[in-house]
Amino acid sequence: MFNRLRPISATRLLLAGAIGLTLWLGATFLWHVTYRQGISLAVILFLDQDFPALLGALLLLTLAAPFAEGLGWRLPAPRARIMVPLVLLFGLIAWAGHYWLFQDYSISRDEEVARFAAAYMREGFLARPIPMEWEAYRRAIMPEFFSPFGAADYWTAAYLPVNSAIQALFWQLGDPNLAGPVLLMAGLFALWRVALHLFPDRPDAVWVTMLLGLSSAQLWVTAMTPYAMTGHFALNMIWLALVLRGGLIGHLSAGVVALAAAGLHQWHFPPIFIAPFILWMLLGKRWKVAIFHILVLAAIVIVWAKLWPAFLTHVLGQPTDVRPSAGVADKVGSLFERLGDRWQPLVNLSRFAAWNNILMVPLATLGVFAMRWRKAIRGQEIALPLALGCFAGCALALAQGYGWGYRYAHGFIGPFCLLAGLGWARFRTGAMRPMFLGAAITLLSSAFLVWRTHGFVAPYAASHRMIDASRADVVLVDPRGGLYVTDLVRGRNGVPGKPMVMNLGMLTLEQVDNLCRNYVVELFDRAEFRPLGVPLARWNLGRMDALRAHMKEEGCDKPVQPPLPETEEEAFNAAGAVL
């Protein structure tokens, strides 16, 4: 199938990759650290996690380059009896990682909102009715990422429902945290099927594609979380597998998958992935298929940008509190606004490179260079839509906040792996030693990233457990002095309840007085979260100083107390293991 071009030596491949990524990493450090441009959470995580991991990986890649030539171990044919157990293993790792690495805690507001929606869907609701006694405090309880539809009477997640519905389904089956691992396995299985389709006579290229996917820390760490991005990876790969299968059933099924993918959380992600393939179909004069998928894109906009908001308005009521944000014009306007204010390609793509296989970007670049352009403009090179999609996913390098790697490019990890397989098939023979070296280096850097991620999440998970164990009716979170402490304002397993947790900064003096008169109130502030290790942040609000002073005068400033030990072992540990 492939006319192999002039081979590129493994030594040159590793050195070229190391040099290119080092230049990018150096530019990132100069721009964001030396000249302090665009300081953000992404930069904080970059310095703590990605910069040392990527620097170490690039050093090891350079040292390994002289030893990269050679066959390496002989791998068996990439058949189902090998691939299916491998995919299952990584699914189990992702499931266990939610409890070990993330300590059964979802750190970001995005994840919490997704789980919040899954909780009310599991109970058979489209939204959670706000209890009458808490209506006046609804915004302090749900500070952000809430839907405006019927917001005076209901708490509803701002995101589209499919990701939360999938979690609710697995919740009914026993554990919502199985949703990410199962989607990861589905995506990896589809990636394998696509690789078999593209490289039927090159098992080494299939292995290259799958090794890059399996060794992506971004894939399996993100699958430990409720983020919708694992769903985007899975459904993108399933869509591509169905399109390559062809036929009426294949394309109709792909259309259904595209509609589901657009409803995961924001509808604009799948069109960015699908549009390059429609161009590929048009260049190849596959008119009927291209028109069908254009109609699918139109259906995505109609269903999720028009009908869904209209349905919520009908069921829940008119938008209140904030303006609607699901319209087409709003989405496009928001995108261009963020491109102007929050475009950070250096740091975001450095994070992407750090959390994926160290050879993924160099090999994908080979895949672009291996493209036969005359065939590409006739729609005969699948590398063209793959490359255009990867470029679009990386070019829209908007600030993401939290994320393990660069999650806005998560749906394009599969295309990156396939491009890498194409580059390998056209520039390399079956000698797999450079892939084994790259996998070993990636394993070491991934271990470092996992360790640093655990250290970053642990203080927030401990803070949440401390708040959750409070016997008070209400816990007021004063987030001043801590990084992203406001994200601790949440319920238990997505359900607001006792204690009802609120953001102190979103309450008035009258509301605070009413809470102190009628409920048992406790405070959670820097005195509690700083000893737990939450990173410090310099910010202050004079109005909150006045609130705190008033609460102190009224004797309503009792801090959240750690839960009493329930066993002798817990008491022993709490005493510092001193008899």
Side-chain angles (χ1 to χ4, degrees), residues 116-200:
F116 173 82
Y120 61 66
M121 288 182 186
R122 177 178 176 243
E123 297 172 23
F125 298 115
L126 283 171
R128 184 167 296 283
I130 303 173
M132 288 287 294
E133 65 176 314
W134 302 119
E135 280 193 355
Y137 309 96
R138 62 186 183 274
R139 293 287 70 85
I141 298 169
M142 178 72 72
E144 55 187 341
F145 294 163
F146 59 88
S147 167
F149 301 102
D153 302 302
Y154 298 94
W155 283 312
T156 313
Y159 293 134
L160 295 173
V162 173
N163 178 44
S164 294
I166 294 171
Q167 293 183 50
L169 173 63
F170 280 95
W171 210 335
Q172 287 290 85
L173 296 175
D175 187 356
N177 299 307
L178 278 169
V182 170
L183 286 169
L184 171 68
M185 291 188 289
L188 288 172
F189 184 82
L191 177 64
W192 170 61
R193 296 302 303 174
V194 173
L196 286 176
H197 181 92
L198 296 183
F199 317 119

Side-chain angles (χ1 to χ4, degrees), residues 303-317:
V303 170
W304 295 117
K306 298 296 183 181
L307 296 181
W308 179 253
F311 172 72
L312 291 180
T313 300
H314 175 73
V315 174
L316 303 178

Side-chain angles (χ1 to χ4, degrees), residues 271-335:
I272 296 173
F273 175 81
I274 293 171
F277 288 95
I278 293 178
L279 173 63
W280 173 62
M281 296 168 188
L282 291 171
L283 291 173
K285 299 181 180 180
R286 296 183 289 278
W287 308 116
K288 292 181 181 179
V289 173
I291 290 171
F292 170 75
H293 289 286
I294 290 171
L295 292 175
V296 170
L297 293 189
I300 284 172
V301 175
I302 292 170
V303 170
W304 295 117
K306 298 296 183 181
L307 296 181
W308 179 253
F311 172 72
L312 291 180
T313 300
H314 175 73
V315 174
L316 303 178
Q318 290 295 323
T320 57
D321 287 353
V322 295
R323 65 186 176 88
S325 58
V328 178
D330 180 88
K331 186 68 67 179
V332 174
S334 174
L335 175 62

Side-chain angles (χ1 to χ4, degrees), residues 330-345:
D330 180 88
K331 186 68 67 179
V332 174
S334 174
L335 175 62
F336 280 102
E337 181 181 342
R338 294 177 70 190
L339 278 172
D341 296 340
R342 304 176 65 186
W343 191 57
Q344 297 180 338

Side-chain angles (χ1 to χ4, degrees), residues 1-5 198-202 205 372 381 421-422 425-426:
M1 180 179 178
F2 293 99
N3 297 319
R4 192 164 60 84
L5 304 177
L198 296 183
F199 317 119
D201 55 351
R202 289 296 301 268
R372 294 162 295 193
E381 273 277 11
L422 288 167
R426 290 189 177 143

